[in-house]
Every structure is written in C-alpha cells, then in structure tokens.
C-alpha cells in the first residue's frame, strides 16, 4: 500500500500524470500517517521536492484543525490561499463564490501536462465534502484530474466504507476508483511487538544506561502474564492503536524519580481506569435518596419492561388510584393494562424504613429527581414544555440494571436495606 | 449613445427616391433623417457617411460606412454598409500580427466576406468621422469627442492586416470631403436661417454684447498666466475648460464661430492632407486662425485690452493674402468645398454665425448635433492659442513676422500632433513635453503649447490607470522547474495513452452520433438559424468528447472558409455555483462584459432577440443541463427560448444524463421549446470498449488480447463507462509493472487485469468485518441475535448489550462495560457498517445494519 501510494504520487510529479485515489480505513488505522510518510519519502527525492504543490484540506496543516472547510466556498478560498494565488488576485476582491470558482478553474485550466507544476490535493474527512451542494468541488477536482489540464492528484482520506455510494454518478464516473484500504489486520503477537516498540526508548536517548534498563523492563513487561492479560483485553476490544497509546500514557504518567520504571500494576491500574464505566462513576457520587429513586425507577423498568414513567409514579405520596389516574392521563391510550399497586414502590419502602431514614417531603424528593435529570441519568422523552407539569413528564432511565447493581456494590456506606431492596425485584411485594 | 434606449427615434427618408426597381419593389434613397421625438431634433445621414451601428455590446457600437439606402418590398428601411472593425472584434490571437500598439480610436477596413452588409436602417445610431491615414502616420489630435472620430490605417480580411489600397484610401478621403459638403448643404436645408441672415447676425451680436470681453479676458488671463508659472497656467486652463460647459462659454465659442467651419475643415482637411506639403497646411491653418482674430476684432471693435490689436489687424491683412493664395491653389484642387468657402468669405461668416446662434437657441439638441460642435470648439481653442501666439510674435517684430509666423504655426501644428502622441502613450509624457517645447522657436509659445499637454496628462492618467495591475490578470499555476519525464517503457507509454485525458485522434464507435451532431450544427450554421439539440447518456459514454470533437471539426472548417464563422461558448452546470450564473458566463464569453446575473439575462435577451447585423452564429454547449434546474425554470426557459427567436442565430447543444429529462423535470413550455431533436448515447458494448482500448493502444504492444476483452466485458456488464474501462487498464499496467520487476514480462496478462478488477469492484465490507476486533465482531453477532429475536431490523443498544453480555459469557470472556460497548458501537458507526442515531440517547440509541445480514454472517463465519 505504501509503495502503491508512493508510486502514484511519484508518477504525478515526475510524469505529470493526473490521478485520484481514496484511502479508506477505520479511525486510528493510520491513513494520515501513511500519507505523511509517503510525502516525506517523496520530499527526499530531489526532483520531486521542487515540483510538487500541496493543498491540504481539512486537517494536516498546522493552522487547520479538521472539519474546517464546511462548504465549497471556504474550501475554494483555502485552496487559493494554499496555492499562493492571492498575489495574482492582488487588490481584486472576490465578491462572489462564482467568481472564485471561475478564477480557480481558469488557473488550473491554463496549465498542461508537461509544463505546469503538479498539484496535490489532500482532502481529509473526504466524506464531509460529499455533502457539499451538488458536490461541485469534487466534480471539478476530478474533472481536472481526468482532462488535459494542470496535472492534479486528488487524495481523499475517509473512514467510511460506503464512500463510493455517496458520490453522485457523474462524480463517481470521473473518480478513478483507486481505493487503498487500510485495515488493522495484525494479530495479538504483532500487537505485543507494537506495544514493545512504542514503549521502548530509542537508541539516541542520551542516558544510555537508563535506556538499557528501561528497555529491559519493557521486555520483561511484555512477557509478564498480567500485562499480557491487560493487553489481550484491550486488543479484544479494539485494534485501534490510539487506545493503546492512551493506555500506555496513563501507565507511564505514574513514573517518577522514586519509581523510575513502570510496573505491571501500573498498567493494570491504567487499564482499570481506561475501561471503567463513566455512568457508573456518576452513580457513585449520588446521595442515598437519589440512589433510592434510581432503584425505584429500576424496579418500574423491570415491571413494565422499559416503558416510560414519570415522577409521580416514582414518588407516589397520596394514593394508588391517583397515580394510576395520572398515568392514564399522561400515557397514550393504547397503554395495555391498568396500574397495579407497585407504582408506590418508593413510598412503601420509605414508610417501612421510616425508622432508619427521614421521611422526606415531596419537594425534596422532586429536587433530587431534577438533579438526576440534570446529570442525564434520566432523560425526558420529549422536550419539556411550559404547559406540562414537571411531575408528569414521561421519562426514561439511561442506566442499565447491571450498571446500577455494580455501582451499589462499590457505593460507600450504603445502607443494607437499600441494597436488599435493590436486589429484590418483584419478589419484594 | 444610450439615447436610443431612452428616446424613441423616428427614421424617415430624406428626399425623393433616387431610383426604384419595379420588379423587386425597392426604391433607393440618398439620405435618411433620424428624428428624436423627445427633443425634436433631427439629423440627416447621407450615402457615404460614416455611421455607428448598434452592436452586441452596447458600449461598442459597430463602425460602418453607409453605402446604400433602400426600402424593400415590405416597406422596411434597409441599408447597405461597408463595415469597419474595431480592435476588440479581432480575435485575440490575430492581434499580435499587428506588431504595434493600437489606440481605441483606430479601426480596420473590414474585408471579411462573412458579415451581412445589409442591415435594418433602424439600427443606425448616428454619424461619425472616419479618417484614413497612412500606416506610418501618427494619429492626429483628438480633443474632446473621442467616440466621434475614428482612424483607419489598415484593412483586415479575417486572416491578415493589409495597408489600405490607394483606391480605398482615396475613396475614404473623398467620403470625408463629401461629408463636409453634405453637412453644409444640410445646414442650408434649414431655410429660415438663410432668409434672414443679417438680422440674425445682428441679433446674435447684440445678444453677445459682453462676449468679446469674455474672450479677451480669457486670452488675457491666459497670456499673463503664460508668463507665470506652469502650474498656474494649468489652473487657468482648467478654468477655461470648465467654462466651456457654462452658457457664457458657449456663447464665446459661438462668437468665434467663423473659424468653426474652417476649424472643421482643419479637422478633416488637414488630417486628410497630412501627406501633402506642409507649407500648404500652414497657410490654411493660419488663415483660419486669422479669420478668428479678425472676427474678434471686428465684433469687439474697440476693446483695447489686447495689447496689439492693431498689429493683429495688420497681420490679418497680411495673412489674408496668404489665405487668398492658398484658396487659389485649392481652387485648382477637386475640393470644391474649399473654394466655396474662400469665395463667400464674408457670407459664410454671417451664415455660420447665424447657424451657431440657431444652435444656441436649441440647447436641448441631442448628442449627434452637439458633438461636432464641441469638437470644433476644441479645434477652435487651439487656433485661439495659435492666434495669441501670433499676436505676440508680431508685437516683437514685424520683420521676422512672416517667417516666424509660418514656422510658428508650423511648429504649433507639429506640437499638436505631438500632443496627439501624448494622448496615445501617456506614461512617457514628460519626454514628449520637452521635445515639443524644443521645437518651438520662441519660449513663450512653447510654454503655451505646454499648457495643453499637462492638462491632458493630468486628466488622463487616473482614468486609464495603467500603473495598477491589470484587472483581468489571469491566474496561473507556477511552472514546474524540471521538465516532465517522457515515458520510458512500453507500459508507461501505454499508461499515458490510456489516461482519460489523452485526446485520441478520432473517437471510435461514435461515428454515427458524431455525424448526426455535425450535420445538425452544420445545417443550422449554413442557414444562419437557431436550434436546440438534447443529448443524453449515462456518464462515460463520450457525450462531451463527441460534442467537442464536432466543434473542433467545425472550427477547422470555418477556418478554411467552408463554413461561416461562429462563436463557441461552453457552460457546465457543475461548474456554476448557481443556475443564474449561466447568463453571466455566456455574456462574458460573448462580449467580455462582467455584469450581474439579472443584468446579463436582460442583455442576452436583447442580444438574441434583436437582429444583429454583424453577429456570428453562436454555438452554445450546455453540459450537465439538469443542474440548471430552478423552481421556476426560467434559466432553462430562456436558454431554449432564444434559439426560437427569429434573429437569434443561436445553436444549443444540451447534454445531460437522463434520457427523459425533458419529460421528468421540465415544465411543458420548457420541454416544448427544447424541441424533439434528441439523441441518446447508448452505453458502450464490450466490443466497442475493446475497440476503444485497442485504438488507443495502437502501435504499443502492452496488453494481451484476452486481457482487453476481459476488461471490456466486465465493464460493459456493469456500466459501459469508458472511463472505468480505461482506469482498470491503467491500474493493470501498474500491477504488471510492479509484479514484473523481477522477470520483466512487459505485457499485461489476464492475472493482472483480474487483480485490478478485484481491487476496484470488491466490496470493502467483508474485509472490514474480518479485520475488526473480537468484541466488535461479537457486537455484530449480538445485533444479528437481537434482530432474529425481535424480528425487526432495528434494535436499541440496551437490547444488544444484553445479548452481547450473554455471548461473552458463552465464550468465557470478560463482559465489557457499557462505555466500552458505546465506543464499539460508535466505531462501527463511523465506518458505516452500522447506521446509528445521534449518541445523546445513550442506551436507547437505535442501531441498524448498513449491509445485509447474510453478508455479516458470511464474513463472520469464515473465521
């Protein structure tokens, strides 16, 4: 693949042949790295260096941070800037998009194969250019690459596998259908090798003795059972090398002068951090009252198989009948059955456990509920409107029961009866 | 020039028909009146006059000479003209044949046969001057009305420039002389003025009682100024110039009008006789100026403000002899006009004066009337300067008077011609100025002449704006430093030829279509009519290539004079940012104007709906027509409406992909105007594709016969897109080159082609799934399981998560957390293996597969 791309670009620069290609691969598979590598190789060749003009769109350039060229107009301006054609523009102000396009096309049309400097267009996040109106930028770029004008090579980088289906038929016909697929096709052994290579110090590190020691340690680590387990787990989750970098960063950041070499335990800790569930972490920080509310919601979810609920159902302070009424009012008419008394979960629990907890006022419980709403552990089905009372807004719980149980396990000083109540579902009745 | 747009003009014949042809029911006339309704002024244009004719570009009317006027059977007023062409009308590439700078005022005697010389009389705008010059001559002074005077030095026959033949030269010159006569007789045509000349004259004198003073003061101030610094002079000059616009200034001009007629004579005569002896001109000029001086002294009588009025009078009498002598010589020459002039010397004074006063009474007269006078005014102004100069000279000494006088006027003439030069090339004014001052014998007069030049230059430089970068700078990609390498091996050569951009000598397999389009356009060209043709076909079937080939052939034919010349305009819907930009581009191609879309639409509509006499047929290619669709479809409507107009001379070739585009997206009225001339390009069959490849590879042995056949069969089965076919072949050569580095087979075989085809047409999904991580694969399995359970091809992440956990338990793996599942889900979503909702719904986010369940199963099972 590397040689293919290198060959392609070399032909553009040396022979002035126009080309177009797409580099497709999932995120973190090294598309940009490949391209940069090839460009570096190209620049080392004397002949090429002076001859190639590069235009990078969307990323790559230090001044651009990706996804910048949101429409063709901005893209054209950027191309003009990167081709350094502004000096020709001079004091002429580009009024309209149309003028701009005509100007650029004119510029590119003037050249021919043998005398003009080849131009390399790199379109990062190629799939976003596809959504531009009429795809006219792509059409024009590909059209130039298919006609006897300035030699042009268009390289698109994208992670979408279905990119060709997004191209309009005329644009597609003009694209050369040269696709370079990048896949993380390595297996676990290679993964370990990559791990070692990433972590070991390079030969030109100034303190040789330390480098030696460090590298030996890395070698040991790679053979260690626990480290392998950690890596295996990550490998099974994702082959993206960026997540490996992230994991190693976490581990290496534990290194201090007193603790000069990373250990297996560091890695394990890093892995734990890396793979922890963010929502469960939020639950850790909740008050007992909020946990109780969540448990009540979990029970409701189990009873009604994930149907939405409202605050009144969770907190039923007055009577079952009232609750069922409100529910009937607020739910669609096709709601299958009348409400059983279980809606009063929370109330019952509170009543029974009155000796161990305060009997909370309803507004206090409401406040706790709203806090959950803000944390997005609970999400309203529709946008809250001014008309509807907050108590009767239909909600959904954004936590899985396993997450709740897990969070309860590690919750500090959790009252036992709360835990019991959480564990007991329908049987509790 | 825009008067025509604003006021309605009435055209009527002047005089009785000269001759008439009974059979053809035509009658010829010798002149035509153009009467403006709003201003009640009329101009008479006669045979041989030079005229401006309405053209494509409103700012640049055509220049022509009126040769014949007649009324045809249908009572239409027609005119036959001899065209002159402006520099702008000459193709860019031919302009360099001239090898010299051309001023805007220079035109070329048009000898192109293709143009229709028979025009509607209503397109005549007004009369102008066209003066013939010899090639080496400088253009004479043009003062105010630059638009009114043109010069012709060479003729242009569409291929090269030639010096005017003596015959045409003399004819043109004669036309100018005649024009002088005619204008005068046309003045005589106004009878009341002649009947009461004396009365009118006195009247005018009375009315202009204060005028002489004005003049004198004017001269005085200038005189004194000439002594002071140059800057001051400039200032006073400017004041004087400004004065011209005010009524008093005009009176002043009228007062001295006797020179006017002479002055005009100067204009035409002097320039016409440039090649003649210089001596002959000088007396004429002086006589003219003298005349003026005399007049001022006559009318103003006593005002002794001019220091040497007596001297002047003397000099007048002296020069009168000169003048007399000159007119004698003139009398011998065929210019009867001059004779007339000098003969009725006094009479003319009166008459002219009267005329001028009449002219003054009609200040609202339109430009055709106004302009000649202002021109004269300028000529007269220079003469006024000369007169002053003379007076100064004479005051210095009578002895040297005559000689100096002659030389002075002579030099003043040369200075004026140099001023002309200055006008032409502004940047180098300073040098010229010094040069002109060197010519003069007396320092004062030199300064005088200098008065003129700086004013000119000051005025001109900003308007021309030469130092700034040219407005239409053409952008260019920098040149490459090293030359592109030429192909070295057979494969490289083949690859070059297989590139889509390579233009083949002929287009194989499209001969029939080519012929059809060619015939269509050719017939319309010959008929000089308009028409539309709609061409459809799937991408890569050679539509645009064929049409371009047709245009190339037609252009070649036109160059060889087998066809009338035509203009070729191309627009591409994809290259426009907005459908309405089409107007702008077309207009820019045709006339070079840059205007807004709405204005361009108006101009184009006018252009195509009015009979343009000198217009070539336009062939317009509209590529990617479907993108010109707007909700009201007015762009398409206009495009297809123009060819149906009688005088449009517009041929449209519209190209699009869909065959039934007119029926599908066009309104009835648009579709009906498009007409039924349609052509559809069928996708290439495998044989045709094979032929295309082999024709491109003629003489290069790079492909196995079977390999070519395989490619063409494969592509023909899929799309019939020639581009795809060529791309595959190109890729195959690369693969071959890459694989063959060890053993150098140097020929593309089946295996290479198959590899290339696989590379291009293989589905990426299976490969992507196979290379996904373990949990990603389990996730996909969980999706399949959930789909099977629910029977719906859509599931929430929560549901899938439960399946996933169950699957992990079965495999003995540690089950992932929800965050990890979400990460997996979004990764697969980014690759578009899955279609996912916006992620703010978290666990309730719905997921779908972007490919068939079977494909996923197939990809997963293989492991």
């Amino acid at each position: 693949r590397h040689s293919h791309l290198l060959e392609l670009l070399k032909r553009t620069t040396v022979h002035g042949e126009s080309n177009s290609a797409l580099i497709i691969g999932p995120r973190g598979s090294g598309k940009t790295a490949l391209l940069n590598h090839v460009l570096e190789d190209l620049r080392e060749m004397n002949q090429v260096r002076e001859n190639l003009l590069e235009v990078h769109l969307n990323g790559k350039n230090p001044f651009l941070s990706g996804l910048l060229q949101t429409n063709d107009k901005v893209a054209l301006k950027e191309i003009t800037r990167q081709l350094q054609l502004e000096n020709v523009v001079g004091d002429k102000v580009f009024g309209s998009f149309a003028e701009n396009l005509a100007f650029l096309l004119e510029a590119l049309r003037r050249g021919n194969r043998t005398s003009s400097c080849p131009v390399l267009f790199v379109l990062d996040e190629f799939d976003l250019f596809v959504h531009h109106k009429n795809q006219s930028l792509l059409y024009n770029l590909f059209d130039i690459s298919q006609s006897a004008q300035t030699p042009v090579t268009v390289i698109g980088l994208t992670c979408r596998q279905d990119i060709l289906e997004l191209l309009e038929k005329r644009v597609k016909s003009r694209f050369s259908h040269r696709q370079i697929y990048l896949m993380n096709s390595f297996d676990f052994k290679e993964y370990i090798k990559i791990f070692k290579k990433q972590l070991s110090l390079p030969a030109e590190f100034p303190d040789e003795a330390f480098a030696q020691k460090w590298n030996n340690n890395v070698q040991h680590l790679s053979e260690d059972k626990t480290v392998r387990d950690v890596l295996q787990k990550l490998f099974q989750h994702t082959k993206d090398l960026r997540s490996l970098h992230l994991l190693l960063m976490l581990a290496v950041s534990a290194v201090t002068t007193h603790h000069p070499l990373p250990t297996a335990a560091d890695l394990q800790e890093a892995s734990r951090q890396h793979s922890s569930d963010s929502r469960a972490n939020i639950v850790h920080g909740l008050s007992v009252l909020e946990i109780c509310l969540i448990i009540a919601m979990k029970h409701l979810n189990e009873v009604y198989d994930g149907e939405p609920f409202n605050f009144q159902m969770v907190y039923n302070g007055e009577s079952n009948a009232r609750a069922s009424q409100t529910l009937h009012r607020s739910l669609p008419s096709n709601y299958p059955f009348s409400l059983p008394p279980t809606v009063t979960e929370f109330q019952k629990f509170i009543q029974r456990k009155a000796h161990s907890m305060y009997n909370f006022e309803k507004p206090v419980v409401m406040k706790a509920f709203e806090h959950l709403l803000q944390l997005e552990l609970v999400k309203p089905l529709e946008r809250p409107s001014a008309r509807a009372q907050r108590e009767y807004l239909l909600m959904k719980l954004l936590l899985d029961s396993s997450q709740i149980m897990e969070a309860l396990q590690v919750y500090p000083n959790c009252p036992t009866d709360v835990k019991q109540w959480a564990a007991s579902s329908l049987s509790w009745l | 020039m825009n008067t025509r747009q604003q006021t309605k003009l009435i055209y009527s014949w002047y005089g009785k028909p000269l001759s008439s042809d009974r059979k053809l029911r035509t009658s010829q006339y010798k002149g035509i009146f153009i009467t403006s309704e709003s201003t009640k002024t009329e101009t008479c244009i006669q045979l041989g006059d030079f005229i401006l004719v309405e053209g494509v570009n409103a700012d640049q009317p055509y220049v022509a000479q009126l040769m014949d006027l007649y009324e045809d059977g249908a009572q239409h007023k027609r005119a036959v003209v001899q065209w002159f062409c402006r520099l702008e009308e000459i193709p860019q590439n031919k302009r360099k044949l001239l090898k010299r700078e051309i001023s805007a005022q220079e035109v070329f005697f048009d000898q192109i046969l293709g143009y229709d010389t028979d025009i509607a009389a209503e397109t005549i705008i007004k009369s102008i001057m066209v003066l013939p010059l010899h090639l080496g001559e400088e253009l004479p002074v043009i003062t105010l009305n630059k638009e009114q005077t043109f010069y012709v030095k060479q003729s242009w026959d569409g291929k090269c420039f030639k010096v005017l033949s003596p015959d045409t030269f003399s004819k043109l010159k004669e036309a100018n002389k005649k024009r002088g006569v005619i204008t005068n007789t046309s003045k005589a045509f106004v009878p009341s003025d002649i009947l009461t000349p004396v009365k009118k004259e006195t009247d005018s004198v009375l009315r202009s009682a204060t005028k002489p003073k004005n003049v004198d003061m004017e001269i005085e101030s200038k005189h004194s100024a000439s002594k002071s610094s140059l800057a001051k002079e400039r200032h006073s000059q400017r004041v004087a110039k400004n004065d011209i616009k005010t009524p008093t200034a005009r009176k002043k001009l009228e007062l001295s009008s006797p020179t006017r007629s002479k002055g005009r004579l100067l204009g035409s005569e002097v320039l016409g006789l440039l090649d003649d002896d210089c001596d002959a001109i000088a007396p004429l000029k002086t006589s003219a100026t003298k005349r003026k001086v005399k007049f001022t002294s006559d009318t103003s009588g006593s005002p002794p403000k001019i220091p040497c009025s007596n001297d002047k009078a003397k000099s007048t009498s002296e020069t009168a002899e000169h003048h007399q002598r000159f007119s004698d010589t003139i009398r011998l020459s065929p210019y009867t006009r001059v004779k007339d002039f000098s003969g009725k010397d006094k009479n003319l004074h009166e008459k002219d004066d009267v005329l001028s006063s009449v002219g003054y009474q009609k200040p609202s007269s339109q430009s055709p009337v106004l302009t000649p006078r202002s021109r004269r005014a300028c000529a007269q102004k220079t003469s006024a300067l000369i007169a002053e100069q003379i007076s100064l000279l004479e005051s210095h000494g009578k002895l040297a008077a005559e000689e100096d006088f002659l030389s002075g006027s002579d030099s003043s003439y040369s200075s004026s011609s140099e001023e002309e030069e200055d006008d032409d090339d502004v940047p180098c004014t300073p040098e010229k100025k010094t040069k002109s001052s060197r010519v003069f014998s007396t320092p004062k007069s030199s300064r005088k002449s200098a008065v003129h030049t700086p004013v000119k230059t000051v005025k001109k430089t900003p308007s021309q704006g030469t130092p700034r970068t040219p407005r239409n700078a053409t952008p260019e990609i920098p040149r490459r430093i090293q030359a592109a390498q030429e192909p070295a091996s057979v494969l490289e050569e083949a690859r070059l030829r297989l590139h889509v951009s390579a233009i083949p000598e002929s287009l194989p397999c499209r001969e029939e279509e080519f012929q059809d389009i060619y015939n269509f356009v050719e017939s319309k060209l010959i008929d000089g009519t308009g028409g539309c043709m709609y061409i459809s076909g799937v991408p890569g079937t050679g539509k645009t290539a064929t049409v371009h080939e047709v245009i190339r052939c037609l252009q070649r034919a036109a160059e060889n004079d087998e066809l009338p010349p035509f203009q070729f305009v191309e627009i591409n819907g994809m290259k426009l940012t907005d459908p309405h930009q089409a107007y702008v581009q077309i207009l820019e191609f045709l006339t070079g104007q840059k205007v807004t879309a709405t204005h361009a639409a108006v101009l184009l509509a006018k252009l195509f709906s009015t009979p343009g006499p000198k217009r070539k047929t336009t062939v317009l290619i509209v590529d990617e027509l479907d993108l010109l669709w707007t909700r009201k479809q007015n762009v398409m409507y206009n495009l297809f409406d123009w060819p149906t107009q009688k005088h449009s001379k517009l041929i449209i070739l519209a190209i699009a992909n869909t065959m039934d585009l007119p029926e599908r997206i066009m309104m009835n009225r648009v579709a009906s105007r498009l007409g039924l001339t349609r052509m559809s390009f069928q996708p290439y069959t495998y044989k045709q594709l094979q032929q295309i490849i082999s024709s491109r590879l003629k003489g290069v042995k790079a492909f196995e016969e079977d390999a070519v056949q395989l490619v063409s069969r494969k592509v023909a089965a899929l799309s019939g897109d020639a581009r795809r076919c060529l791309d595959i072949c190109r890729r195959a050569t690369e693969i071959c080159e890459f694989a063959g580095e060890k053993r150098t087979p140097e020929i593309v075989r089946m295996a290479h082609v198959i590899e290339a085809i696989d590379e291009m047409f293989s589905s990426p999904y299976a490969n992507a799934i196979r290379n996904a991580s373990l949990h990603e694969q389990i996730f996909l399995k969980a999706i399949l399981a959930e789909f099977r359970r629910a029977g719906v091809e859509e599931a929430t992440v929560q549901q899938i998560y439960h399946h996933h956990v169950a699957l992990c338990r079965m495999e003995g793996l540690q089950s992932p957390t929800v965050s990890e599942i979400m990460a997996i889900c979004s990764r697969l979503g980014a690759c578009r293996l899955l279609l996912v909702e916006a992620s703010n719904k978290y666990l309730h986010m719905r997921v779908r597969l972007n490919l068939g369940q079977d494909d996923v199963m197939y990809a997963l099972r293989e492991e």
Side-chain angles (χ1 to χ4, degrees), chain B residues 553-566:
Chain B
C553 285
L554 288 169
Q555 273 169 342
R556 215 172 303 137
E559 261 172 46
N560 298 339
D561 290 332
E562 290 155 25
L563 279 175
F566 64 94

Side-chain angles (χ1 to χ4, degrees), chain A residues 11 13-14 17-18 47 101 115 139-140 146 160 162 170 173 175 178 236-238 275 279, chain B residues 478 480 482 485 499 575 624 626 721 723-724 730 734 765 773 775 798 820 827 832 842 844:
Chain A
R11 260 185 290 118
T13 47
V14 177
E17 184 181 306
S18 293
Q47 194 187 7
L101 181 68
S115 64
Y139 177 92
N140 286 316
Q146 299 248 311
R160 289 186 67 163
D162 61 345
R170 290 172 273 222
S173 167
F175 170 57
R178 214 181 273 270
Q236 281 171 356
H237 276 293
T238 168
S275 64
R279 295 278 164 139
Chain B
R480 56 187 299 155
Q482 285 151 337
Q485 269 180 19
H499 198 279
K575 292 179 182 170
E624 317 291 3
D626 47 337
D721 188 338
R723 288 196 189 109
R724 197 68 332 95
R730 222 148 51 86
E734 281 166 31
Y765 293 113
S773 71
H775 273 288
Q798 196 168 18
E820 283 166 324
R827 265 204 301 277
R832 285 298 190 281
Y842 201 55
H844 303 289

Side-chain angles (χ1 to χ4, degrees), chain A residues 178-193:
Chain A
R178 214 181 273 270
Q179 300 149 61
I180 300 170
Y181 287 101
L182 289 182
M183 295 293 165
N184 295 319
S185 51
F186 43 79
D187 60 3
F188 186 61
K189 267 184 204 145
E190 289 169 56
Y191 195 68
I192 295 283
K193 263 187 216 153

